[in-house]
Amino acid sequence: MLTETSLSIWGWGSLGIVLSLITFGPFVIFYLAFYILCFVGGGFVVTLLFGKTNSEKYLEQCEHSFLPPTSTGIPKCLEEMKREARTIKIDRRLTGANIIDEPLQQVIQFSLRDYVQYWYYTLSDDESFLLEIRQTLQNALIQFATRSKEIDWQPYFTTRIVDDFGTHLRVFRKAQQKITEKDDQVTGTAEDLVDTFFEVEVEMEKDVCRDLVCTSPKDEEGFLRDLCEVLLYLLLPPGDFQNKTMRYFVREILAQGILLPLINQLSDPDYINQYVIWMIRESNCNYEAFMNIIKLSDNIGELEAVRDKAAEELQYLRSLDTAGDDINTIKNQINSLLFVKKVCDSRIQRLQSGKEINTVKLAANFGKLCTVPLDSILVDNVALQFFMDYMQQTGGQAHLFFWMTVEGYRVTAQQQLEVLLSRQKDGKHQTNQTKGLLRAAAVGIYEQYLSEKASPRVTVDDYLVAKLADTLNHEDPTPEIFDDIQRKVYELMLRDERFYPSFRQNALYVRMLAELDMLKDPSFRGSDDGDGESFNGSPTGSINLSLDDLSSVSSDDLVQLHAYISDTGVCNDHGKTYALYAITVHRRNLNSEEMWKTYRRYSDFHDFHMRITEQFENLSSILKLPGKKTFNNMDRDFLEKRKKDLNAYLQLLLTPEMMKASPALAHYVYDFLENKAYSKGKGDFARKMDTFVNPLRNSMRNVSNAVKSLPDSLAEGMTKMSDNMGRMSERLGQDIKQSFFKMPPLIPKTDSDPEHCRVSAQLDDTVDDNIPLRVMLLLMDEVFDLKERNQWLRRNIKNLLQQLIRATYGDTINRKIVDHVDWMTSPEQVADLVKRFRDAIWPNGILAETVPCRDKAIRMRTRIAGKTKLLSIMPDELKHIIGAETTRKGILRVFEMFQHNQLNRRMVYVFLEGFLETLFPQYKFRELFNKLHSRSKQMQKYKQKLQTSQAPSLQKR
């Protein structure tokens, strides 16, 4: 039954489908679907219209029923929004100085335009938000300006900045030493240096380390945001600060738009190098300094950049088609470039092969050392330091100290006797006091070195000691009272194999030659194939040539050298008028004859005269240069007379007798008469200080200065002797004590290692002229690492700085520094700094584009140029005081410190922290910075190390 029923259903269904297709066609299915959709849609529309009508009727009924009336605030808000925005007045006064307010307003305007407006106008046209941000920034600047006026900036600029820079340099120096101690054979990478730097920083600072801020961009941005939020809390009114939206906008503008780009620029090594070159742009690059830097460079990238540039210039010069006089100039340029290229290739090969590059070690092992006489060593501060170190090692320091003390006694006794004679002429009698004082000093020297109680005792013939004792007992002391014994001590130091002869074979002697620029060029077999290889062991061998070097120059050519001034003229350069002398030079060789002209100013003659009279003392009494004198442009008579005098000077200089008497003079004469720009050996600073430094360097007065700071045992003996002198004239007593007994305080003794603390922790507040001396001594100590030298040299340098300050500025140095700080913080200078900042970030009112990274070769050549500039401006006097090698190392260490971006960032942040601590002394910014830097990984390692080291001691307790 069910089967039949299902068959009937399928049958009728199939029949219906067939009939539908026959009747309506194949599109019946689509028609059916369309009809069903229309039916459903119509029903939905009817329902919607019916519901809407009923809802409106219901709401209309409810509006007048139980609901409360609508608040009047909403209509008013709507009405206010429909009205035009009212103008917000902003006071443009910020600091109270119009010259500062104007550029500051422009900085605010440019900041809002480039960091806010470009995206804000896509959201809204309402100007009130921008005006509120501007008002907030101005409120912060007003508070900042008000606070700045209340601060005394002198301690910050004279002490805090110097302390921070000196400490930064000390950390860098110790990091370099630490890497060197780890492995002498492997040179540490830049990453190793940075890691070691921050390890040393946390060891020195104890409670802070800035490694995360300086090495992680993410942490740096977070640090700047936190710092800006703290500053806004201090500078903004409470209402503005509580507005989070406004506060976050201002914070991002300050942190991301201003501070971070500024820090990026200040910490860029290439920017610093360019700035160094710009600062000393008036100084000409010295060829000798340039070659020194190449020979000292251990960076292959620098050498390759210079070599490639030299090859490029060579290719250009060889492509020129020239004739006549220009061909000689081009040949000279080509030869110079070939020499530079050869030196670069040699240095690169040596660095790549891992061979020894240390100049001192090379000279000690392979070089022929020149001889420095003992009498020259004893009168040179730098050389005397090394000889003193050697004598202390061999136990002969008593002989050297005795010789120095006697020299000091002789000079001071002569001075005091001259003063005594002048006072006697004036009718003032102090004969007994002066003689008694000199006798006490002589007896003190006898007791300290020659008596039976002396320890150690100077060993000389007994009859000389007895003769001296008898003279002291029965005769008045004279400056020459110790001459016989001093002569014996000198001969002992000169001939005894323990002293000077052995010193010449010691490594200290080689280091002394390096400091004096007297290392010769060692030649040795350095390659595997046995070929000879030469290496210039003296980076500046041409600056101070030894007598052995200069004596090798033949004087035959100079006999055939003639020069005379053929013409004179008056030049005007940038408003400065000076005379110019055309020198015609004839040089006759065996096979040829040359003639050229060179042009020199009177200042060139003066500098040349200073050079040769310093190197050859016998010339100072023979050669006399006509004095300098101003002249009028039309004063032709003066020019003719000066021309005649200078011609006489040249003729006397070029006489065969003069050349034979001083063969080494050839090098200097050729350099002066050569057809090129004359490279002056002394700058303006050197000229001004010659009257002060030359007596220190060339006479025995430097030894008397050294006696001021003799070793502790001698000073104690002198003090005991001086206590028994009795009462004497105040002025005379002060003079004697200044010459003999005073040991100036330098650095107080502390329980902690001074090398593991900040530089300011070692300052002595009792030092005279504390501000300038503090600055100069800190920089001298840290830049040139004088703490590694013996205390005699450091005390001698301290005395020199004191005399230098007084000779230059007298007693007004403190006032001058204060005035300079006031000038730096004056409205004019602050306005100039703001304008420079504005022009750097927005040149011509347009946001500066990101500066593309310069090519590596250009950056490497910039490094070479920067180091050359720094080495060129160093005065020769500095080398004579602390040594040439020490000067070079100190300069290059400072330059190398600025070649690491992370370390530069650290220094910028240290300066910023010190600035804020000075600006807000009442707030605990130091604790705040410690908390901000507390996540430092190096800090955590240091704390763990401390806990580990303290654990055993706690267990014992």
Side-chain angles (χ1 to χ4, degrees), residues 778-829:
L778 281 175
L779 293 180
M780 292 283 283
D781 271 345
E782 297 306 322
V783 172
F784 301 107
D785 196 13
L786 297 180
K787 293 181 179 63
E788 299 298 324
R789 318 294 282 272
N790 59 37
Q791 291 299 309
W792 173 83
L793 177 66
R794 297 190 70 248
R795 291 167 180 163
N796 213 16
I797 292 174
K798 189 262 183 185
N799 294 331
L800 174 66
L801 293 178
Q802 282 182 320
Q803 297 178 37
L804 182 63
I805 291 170
R806 293 193 178 103
T808 308
Y809 297 105
D811 297 330
T812 65
I813 180 65
N814 287 336
R815 182 175 58 81
K816 287 183 177 291
I817 289 182
V818 173
D819 293 343
H820 185 69
V821 172
D822 293 339
W823 174 79
M824 289 173 58
T825 55
S826 64
E828 293 78 9
Q829 288 303 307

Side-chain angles (χ1 to χ4, degrees), residues 434-710:
T434 302
K435 291 182 178 180
L437 188 57
L438 293 178
R439 182 185 301 279
V443 171
I445 296 174
Y446 173 83
E447 295 290 339
Q448 183 73 21
Y449 294 103
L450 302 173
S451 67
E452 297 293 337
K453 301 178 181 179
S455 178
R457 185 188 180 194
V458 176
T459 55
V460 291
D461 296 337
D462 292 338
Y463 79 92
L464 291 176
V465 178
K467 180 181 177 182
L468 174 63
D470 183 68
T471 302
L472 290 174
N473 291 329
H474 300 91
E475 299 179 12
D476 293 333
T478 63
E480 299 81 14
I481 192 172
F482 293 99
D483 281 3
D484 293 338
I485 298 180
Q486 187 191 29
R487 192 177 302 108
K488 285 291 184 181
V489 171
Y490 177 82
E491 293 177 357
L492 178 66
M493 291 190 296
L494 179 64
R495 294 181 171 82
D496 195 316
E497 288 295 330
R498 297 174 299 166
F499 304 140
Y500 177 70
S502 297
F503 174 62
R504 290 184 55 192
Q505 309 300 323
N506 193 275
L508 287 172
Y509 185 77
V510 182
R511 290 177 54 192
M512 181 196 74
L513 294 180
E515 295 289 0
L516 297 175
D517 266 348
M518 296 180 67
L519 279 182
K520 296 173 71 76
D521 300 349
S523 299
F524 59 93
R525 300 281 180 178
S527 57
D528 297 336
D529 56 4
D531 294 336
E533 180 181 1
S534 63
F535 176 73
N536 186 1
S538 177
T540 55
S542 58
I543 295 178
N544 279 331
L545 296 176
S546 65
L547 294 179
D548 293 337
D549 294 329
L550 294 175
S551 62
S552 63
V553 180
S554 174
S555 62
D556 295 339
D557 291 339
L558 282 174
V559 176
Q560 304 297 326
L561 187 67
H562 302 280
Y564 62 92
I565 299 177
S566 57
D567 196 9
T568 60
V570 178
C571 296
N572 191 295
D573 184 15
H574 299 289
K576 295 182 179 180
T577 303
Y578 57 87
L580 195 65
Y581 303 93
I583 306 175
T584 302
V585 184
H586 294 269
R587 182 172 61 186
R588 295 185 181 91
N589 296 329
L590 294 177
N591 301 323
S592 63
E593 180 178 349
E594 295 180 76
M595 184 189 74
W596 66 86
K597 280 190 176 183
T598 186
Y599 298 89
R600 295 289 181 259
R601 298 173 55 177
Y602 175 81
S603 60
D604 299 331
F605 277 95
H606 183 255
D607 183 87
F608 169 71
H609 183 75
M610 289 171 60
R611 279 192 183 187
I612 61 176
T613 53
E614 285 179 2
Q615 293 292 334
F616 312 100
E617 296 182 359
N618 59 316
L619 297 182
S620 59
S621 60
I622 302 175
L623 289 173
K624 299 296 182 182
L625 187 70
K628 187 175 181 180
K629 180 180 178 183
T630 58
F631 63 94
N632 188 282
N633 291 351
M634 304 302 294
D635 192 358
R636 303 300 303 179
D637 294 338
F638 170 78
L639 291 179
E640 289 299 324
K641 184 177 184 303
R642 173 60 58 84
K643 173 184 173 181
K644 182 179 179 181
D645 294 338
L646 291 178
N647 267 325
Y649 179 84
L650 287 175
Q651 298 307 318
L652 179 61
L653 178 67
L654 297 176
T655 56
E657 294 79 7
M658 185 74 70
M659 292 296 108
K660 291 179 181 179
S662 303
L665 187 61
H667 171 79
Y668 296 91
V669 175
Y670 271 129
D671 182 65
F672 180 71
L673 296 178
E674 196 172 355
N675 186 17
K676 65 176 184 179
Y678 181 61
S679 177
K680 295 183 179 180
K682 291 180 177 290
D684 294 336
F685 174 80
R687 291 168 179 263
K688 294 177 182 178
M689 297 311 301
D690 270 340
T691 56
F692 172 73
V693 178
N694 283 340
L696 178 71
R697 189 171 66 243
N698 297 329
S699 71
M700 295 309 299
R701 294 181 183 273
N702 61 336
V703 182
S704 67
N705 290 334
V707 177
K708 296 178 184 177
S709 48
L710 292 174

